[in-house]
Amino acid sequence: MSGAKHYLSVFGYYAKLAIQRQLEYPLFLVSWLLMIPTQYFAGIWMLRIIVDRFQPLHGWGFNDLAFLYGLGLLSHGLVVVFFIPTWGTEFAVIRGEFDRLLLRPMNVFFQFVTGYFNFIGLIDLIPGVVIFVYAAHMVNFGWGFDNIVKLALVVIGGLFIRGSLYTIVGAIAFWTKRSRSLINMSVATLERTTMYPLTLYPHAVQATLTFLFPIGFISFYPAESFLGKTESLELPLGMAIWTPVAGLVSMTVAYAVFRFGLRRYESAGS
């Protein structure tokens, strides 16, 4: 218990310093506040155009798609806050930043992930919350206690799934010294695959995004369950339970990959 309290206090200290640093540049905060919501509201507008000009996507109308999109954006906003350092693993390896982390008597992965609390990343949550609340109203989502608990579990599970994928992709830099391009591709892939129903893709792709890379658990399968649609994947206890399970399994694998890659770390060159 004392160890957990120590790690929690360290996280609080890191977060306080990170917030102070980020608030030193208010114009950057304002520009982010303008840019990020515009980007994601443009995404929901694109969904509206697709449905209006063509037809519902495999039985998913605009309100259903907005619910799916908003649900995915909730975990995206949180991963930008808590796991943004994994996007820069390449630079940490090249600059030898793991040297000082290895010298401290604390878990290296914990230090690396919590070393930069992206307070400004909370802005990414704004469009997600707005879109989800709007869509939830349009699809008559019940805000009962059970659904709120399920929603929290799904978002936390989605956070772990996203964070684990970025951790694994970023850790490739321990071997190759490069992973930024793969991170950018992963971010784009996650945005696209959580934006549309998984049933749009061929069965092989659906299986890959379910069992190999459990992206389908971030928003698609939970959205199916919340919306009362015929479930593409039927599991006992419901997706609100299996999404955090998939997240914990994914994070365990990601942590193992990170630790294995850390053994190949060679510090900075001259």
Side-chain angles (χ1 to χ4, degrees), residues 6-7 10 14 101-111:
H6 175 61
Y7 273 83
V10 171
Y14 280 157
L101 303 185
L102 288 165
L103 292 174
R104 295 171 180 167
M106 292 192 74
N107 183 277
V108 176
F109 181 68
F110 171 84
Q111 293 183 72

Side-chain angles (χ1 to χ4, degrees), residues 29-68:
L29 179 63
V30 172
S31 65
W32 204 253
L33 186 59
L34 294 174
M35 180 179 65
I36 294 300
T38 300
Q39 174 185 347
Y40 291 111
F41 287 135
I44 197 67
W45 183 249
M46 183 177 68
L47 287 176
R48 167 63 82 178
I49 293 175
I50 291 174
V51 174
D52 287 349
R53 294 286 181 89
F54 300 97
Q55 59 184 353
L57 304 180
H58 274 240
W60 290 68
F62 172 72
N63 293 335
D64 299 330
L65 291 171
F67 184 88
L68 173 70

Side-chain angles (χ1 to χ4, degrees), residues 151-167:
L151 177 62
L153 290 173
V154 166
V155 173
I156 293 171
L159 165 65
F160 285 157
I161 293 172
R162 289 179 184 272
S164 65
L165 292 176
Y166 293 143
T167 298

Side-chain angles (χ1 to χ4, degrees), residues 59-160:
W60 290 68
F62 172 72
N63 293 335
D64 299 330
L65 291 171
F67 184 88
L68 173 70
Y69 185 45
L71 182 59
L73 286 181
L74 295 179
S75 58
H76 167 77
L78 291 177
V79 84
V80 171
V81 175
F82 293 105
F83 283 92
I84 200 69
T86 60
W87 295 14
T89 307
E90 168 187 319
F91 305 112
V93 170
I94 294 174
R95 297 169 183 169
E97 294 180 6
F98 284 99
D99 291 0
R100 56 188 174 85
L101 303 185
L102 288 165
L103 292 174
R104 295 171 180 167
M106 292 192 74
N107 183 277
V108 176
F109 181 68
F110 171 84
Q111 293 183 72
F112 177 59
V113 172
T114 62
Y116 187 77
F117 178 79
N118 189 23
F119 170 72
I120 293 179
L122 288 172
I123 293 174
D124 281 60
L125 271 175
I126 295 175
V129 171
V130 172
I131 291 170
F132 181 79
V133 170
Y134 163 78
H137 172 72
M138 298 304 294
V139 300
N140 296 317
F141 176 76
W143 289 99
F145 178 77
D146 288 349
N147 271 355
I148 291 175
V149 172
K150 291 178 181 179
L151 177 62
L153 290 173
V154 166
V155 173
I156 293 171
L159 165 65
F160 285 157

